[in-house]
């Protein structure tokens, strides 16, 4: 039998891998396994009853729908932000660039109360929307706003490096062949950026589906109307319905894993594009 | 110190890098290992240095089996193809590194280390660069620093991996005879350098060329 | 999944005016981008500080030195002080094993490292409740031995470790991959021991990337809400971290006090962004220096 490791003179293999594997198992692997074990203490019928309950279905609809809309908003505006940051020069560009990461750095609870205050009927932004009949805070639209905020950096940060790597000569070649700017963009640039755009979209979406902190403040948390799936899990937990919470968590996890797989495939595709 | 390798085998995945290679190098000889790229020159050097374990065969230093002696104990100076100078250390600290990591009992004093380092830097004619960082040096200068660093620990064997790969830089050309003379002056018994074929580095005349063929 | 896209050092901006858009297109795109960012980033940030001082500086400072707030700050610092170093040790050893060796199961380990980014914070909290809670697998045993993890500080620390688990490793793996093994090999041929090589060669060469990972890890550790909320039990003056304290005050309509607490975390976020940007600029300069040196060589 061949050994686990290819021989090397560099020391510390056993220690570093041993500790890393031990720690990862303890913190991530065993607890996640416990979750699946708990969910399957339910019978199949109970499991399906829980995860297909109308209240659960309504929460998936809201979570996925709002995440999808938020990610789409980020796809469009994130692309514009990345484009502007890479291609144009303007005053304060470095600060703007640094600020893009704010949603990664700002705790979600802080974002949640800030957005709620802004979009409440008397808030800075809400007061202009209320007369128009638009309700943001304590409505599904509020969930969209929160999920847009927390997913904002992803598209920018995946598109930006790819855009920087693109060779200007390709565009110049297109221009010299008589293509106008719009044609060059649509036929040359856009296809090259598509994998990165989709990766950013998927990352933003994945983050939004599981988001909790920023949403609970702005959504109003009404069952069937503005209750996201993570909140429903917390509710079940507070009712000491551990197995029910675990069942919903499994649904959320499986969904996240599928997304993670998709993102890895996208990145693989993206790297291959960039490499070729 | 004489070196003998016998029946060395090394395989990377499906690729057989070394197939039953046997060579012997008598004490004090300057040898160039020649051969087309990909024929396992670097691998053989790394096996002699102890950086790579052979799948089969033995390495003898001065008649003694050194196949399983750890790289730390082999007393082999190795100049890497891209020099591997520590970027966060000054030239001085790079050259001094091998002396400062010795166990407390065998470690020379601060003053002694400084003297030794400056002596080596003078030998490679770069004493004036002691406070610079590797990023601030040219390719040829880096190579000479890497050489000084390898000599600092007084190795029994000096191995240079593709020392003249950057033939376009003047400085490397100049360092070629330096390798030969400095190591002789420093009274090393054995030198072992190697280079690629067809390059005009005739300035470093090996005592003997060993051709290594593609398998 | 933040780590996937926040890898240190990627910017080298170059602007070539040979191929570009008409000025009016440029200006409108810049305007759209800036309005979007202002609306979503700047306005909320300003709102935090404005609301925090809405009742004056006196109320602001009073709400921060109040015992519950003070305790929440201390607990937040404690949780970060435990979880960040542990994740640093993990990140360094995982990156060492993954980048310096080839072994079977490497891909599985990498996937495992990424996993917490894909898990909802609520689920992150839930898994520990299922393990250590009163009805959890180890609950009865813990109760017999008079140990408390859930609704206590250890649970908060565990949840924080989970959500910040990937940050350092994710930052170091690409960096150390790029550096290869020749520095370590050079150090070994010069007679250094494994630990000497690690402390004197490896650590200094990854210090900026490490610092970058620590900064991101710390920001998340101090700001985590969802996961901590599930395991904490919200016991005032005992298991409330700063983000949870914000929630409680907010739900009690003590807006000024709530935003005062929030302003501390917002300040921390700004400091994080500044340090992060400085590190990135430093890295870009380093890169350019190395590139120039390499260009000289050939």
């Amino acid at each position: 039998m061949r050994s686990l490791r290819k021989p090397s003179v560099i020391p510390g293999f056993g220690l570093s891998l041993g500790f890393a594997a031990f720690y990862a198992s303890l913190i991530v692997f065993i607890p996640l396994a416990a979750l699946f074990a708990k969910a399957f203490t339910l019978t199949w019928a109970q499991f399906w009853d829980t995860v297909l309950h109308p209240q659960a279905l309504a929460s998936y609809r809201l979570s996925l729908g709002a995440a999808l809309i938020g990610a789409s908003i980020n796809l469009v505006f994130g692309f514009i932000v990345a484009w502007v940051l890479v291609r144009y020069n303007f005053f304060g560009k470095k600060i703007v660039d640094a600020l893009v990461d704010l949603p990664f750095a700002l705790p979600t609870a802080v974002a949640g109360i800030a957005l709620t205050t802004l979009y409440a009927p008397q808030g800075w932004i809400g007061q202009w929307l209320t007369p128009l009949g638009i309700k943001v805070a304590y409505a599904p639209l509020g969930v969209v706003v929160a999920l847009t905020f927390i997913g904002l950096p992803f598209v920018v940060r995946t598109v930006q490096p790819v855009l920087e790597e693109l060779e200007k000569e390709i565009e110049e070649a297109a221009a010299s062949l008589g293509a106008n700017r719009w044609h060059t963009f649509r036929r040359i640039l856009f296809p090259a950026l598509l994998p990165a755009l989709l990766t950013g979209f998927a990352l933003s979406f994945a983050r939004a589906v599981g988001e909790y902190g920023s949403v609970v403040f702005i959504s109003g948390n009404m069952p069937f109307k503005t209750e996201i799936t993570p909140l429903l899990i917390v509710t079940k937990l507070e009712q000491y319905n551990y197995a029910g919470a675990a069942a919903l968590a499994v649904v959320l996890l499986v969904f996240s894993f599928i997304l993670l797989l998709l993102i890895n495939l996208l990145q693989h595709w993206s790297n291959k594009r960039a490499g070729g | 110190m004489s070196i003998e390798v016998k029946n060395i085998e090394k395989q990377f995945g499906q690729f057989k890098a070394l197939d039953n290679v046997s060579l012997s190098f008598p004490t004090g000889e300057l040898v160039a290992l020649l051969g087309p790229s990909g024929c396992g020159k670097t691998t053989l050097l790394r096996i002699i240095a102890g950086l790579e374990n052979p799948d089969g065969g033995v390495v003898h230093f001065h008649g003694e089996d050194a196949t399983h002696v750890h790289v730390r104990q082999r007393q082999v100076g190795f100049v890497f193809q891209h020099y591997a100078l520590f970027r966060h250390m000054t030239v001085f600290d790079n050259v001094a590194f091998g002396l400062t990591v010795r166990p407390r009992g065998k470690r020379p004093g601060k003053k002694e280390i400084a003297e030794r380092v400056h002596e080596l830097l003078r030998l490679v004619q770069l004493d004036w660069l002691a406070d610079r960082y590797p990023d601030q040096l040219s390719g040829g200068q880096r190579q000479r620093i890497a050489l000084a660093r390898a000599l600092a620990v007084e190795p029994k064997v000096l191995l240079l991996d593709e020392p003249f790969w950057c033939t376009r830089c003047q400085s490397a050309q100049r360092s070629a005879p330096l390798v030969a003379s400095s190591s002789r002056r420093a009274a090393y018994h054995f030198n072992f350098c190697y280079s690629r074929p067809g390059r005009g580095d005739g300035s470093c005349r090996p005592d003997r060329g060993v051709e290594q063929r593609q398998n | 999944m933040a780590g996937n896209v926040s890898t240190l050092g990627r910017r080298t901006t170059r602007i070539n005016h040979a191929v570009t858009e008409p000025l009016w297109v440029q200006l409108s795109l810049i305007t759209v981008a800036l309005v979007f960012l202002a609306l979503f980033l700047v306005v909320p940030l300003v709102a935090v500080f404005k609301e925090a001082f809405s009742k004056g500086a006196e109320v602001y400072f009073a709400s921060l030195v109040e015992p519950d707030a003070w305790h929440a700050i201390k607990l937040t610092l404690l949780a970060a002080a435990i979880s960040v170093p542990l994740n640093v040790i993990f990140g360094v050893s995982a990156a060492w094993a993954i980048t310096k060796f080839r072994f079977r199961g490497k891909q599985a380990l990498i996937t495992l490292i990424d996993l917490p980014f894909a898990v909802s914070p609520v689920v992150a909290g839930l898994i520990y409740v299922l393990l250590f809670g009163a009805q959890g697998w180890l609950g009865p045993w813990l109760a017999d031995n008079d140990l408390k993890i859930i609704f206590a500080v250890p649970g908060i620390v565990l949840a924080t470790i989970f959500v910040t688990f990937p940050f350092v490793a994710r930052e170091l793996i690409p960096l150390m991959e790029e550096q290869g093994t020749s520095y370590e090999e050079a150090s070994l041929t010069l007679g250094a021991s494994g630990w000497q090589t690690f402390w004197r060669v490896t650590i200094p060469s990854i210090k900026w990337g490490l610092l970058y990972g620590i900064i991101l890890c710390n920001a998340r550790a101090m700001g985590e809400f969802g996961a901590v909320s599930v395991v904490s039990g919200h016991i005032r003056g005992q298991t409330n971290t700063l983000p949870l304290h914000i929630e409680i005050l907010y739900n009690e309509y003590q807006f000024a006090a709530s935003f005062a607490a929030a302003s501390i975390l917002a300040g921390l976020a700004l400091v994080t962004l500044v340090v992060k940007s400085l590190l990135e600029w430093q890295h870009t300069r380093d890169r350019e220096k190395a590139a120039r040196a390499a260009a000289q060589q050939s």
Side-chain angles (χ1 to χ4, degrees), chain B residues 154-168:
Chain B
E154 298 172 345
K156 299 257 172 67
V157 177
L158 186 63
L159 304 172
L160 296 97
D161 189 3
E162 302 243 4
F164 312 117
W165 64 279
C166 108
T167 46
R168 266 193 289 164

Side-chain angles (χ1 to χ4, degrees), chain A residues 4 6 10-11 13 19 23 27 88-89 97-98 101 117 124 149 158 164 166 168 172 181 210 237 256, chain C residues 5 10-11 14-16 19 21 40 50 87 93 96 101-102 104 118 120 128 161 230 259 276-277:
Chain A
L4 174 74
K6 305 271 186 311
I10 295 177
F13 178 73
F19 178 72
Y23 187 81
I27 297 292
Y88 305 148
N89 257 337
D97 193 3
D101 283 330
T117 308
W124 291 1
F149 173 85
T158 45
E164 276 161 2
L166 276 185
K168 265 284 188 189
E172 285 166 355
R181 200 64 199 135
L237 202 58
S256 304
Chain C
V5 291
R10 56 198 130 69
R11 334 238 151 116
R14 66 207 141 96
I15 290 155
N16 177 344
V19 187
E21 289 74 41
F40 273 95
K50 194 193 161 267
N87 280 335
S93 42
W96 180 272
F101 302 94
R102 292 190 302 164
R104 282 195 288 174
S120 169
Y128 294 111
I161 290 177
V230 170
F259 276 101
K276 183 171 164 295
S277 302

Side-chain angles (χ1 to χ4, degrees), chain B residues 103-121:
Chain B
R104 225 172 271 282
K106 291 185 208 156
R107 193 187 307 160
K110 259 204 170 126
K111 230 181 99 195
E112 214 175 313
I113 290 178
E115 272 169 20
R116 178 104 188 91
V117 170
H118 283 293
E119 183 191 322
L120 281 162
L121 286 176

Side-chain angles (χ1 to χ4, degrees), chain A residues 46-200:
Chain A
Q46 286 171 316
F47 180 80
W48 291 118
D49 266 358
T50 312
V51 302
L52 296 178
H53 187 273
Q55 194 178 355
L57 291 179
S59 82
Y60 306 149
R61 253 198 308 278
L62 178 66
S63 273
L64 297 186
L68 210 56
I69 298 171
S72 306
I73 294 173
N74 282 326
L75 181 67
V76 175
F77 289 95
F79 186 22
I80 296 175
V81 171
W83 180 272
V84 162
L85 285 177
V86 174
R87 291 296 171 104
Y88 305 148
N89 257 337
F90 54 90
F91 179 74
K93 187 164 112 168
K94 279 197 163 179
I95 296 173
V96 173
D97 193 3
L99 202 64
V100 167
D101 283 330
L102 183 71
F104 286 157
L106 194 71
T108 51
V110 178
I113 62 169
L115 291 173
T116 310
T117 308
L118 287 174
Y119 287 95
Q122 303 82 29
W124 291 1
I125 299 176
Q127 60 179 321
W128 303 101
L129 299 175
T130 313
L132 302 172
I134 302 170
K135 194 165 184 282
V136 179
Y138 319 121
L141 206 52
V143 181
V144 173
V145 168
L147 296 184
T148 306
F149 173 85
I150 56 114
L152 191 146
F154 288 100
V155 175
V156 182
R157 292 307 186 217
T158 45
V159 172
Q160 213 175 3
V162 181
L163 201 52
E164 276 161 2
E165 292 299 313
L166 276 185
E167 287 174 51
K168 265 284 188 189
E169 285 93 65
I170 297 171
E171 289 167 64
E172 285 166 355
S176 75
L177 292 170
N180 69 23
R181 200 64 199 135
W182 174 243
H183 273 128
T184 310
F185 174 78
R186 225 189 41 182
R187 307 270 303 273
I188 311 288
L189 290 174
F190 189 71
L193 295 172
L194 191 62
L197 279 167
L198 288 177
T199 307

Side-chain angles (χ1 to χ4, degrees), chain C residues 134-183:
Chain C
Q135 297 176 35
W137 300 104
L138 297 175
W141 183 83
L142 289 170
D144 288 346
N145 289 282
D146 219 14
L147 293 168
K148 211 164 154 60
I149 291 182
I150 297 307
F151 304 147
V153 176
I156 291 172
V157 172
L158 272 175
T160 307
I161 290 177
F162 184 93
V163 294
T164 58
F165 177 80
F167 282 95
V168 178
R170 269 278 116 203
E171 219 43 70
L172 290 182
I173 290 169
L175 184 67
M176 287 167 71
E177 193 83 64
E178 200 185 314
Q179 289 179 348
T181 52
S182 63
Y183 296 115

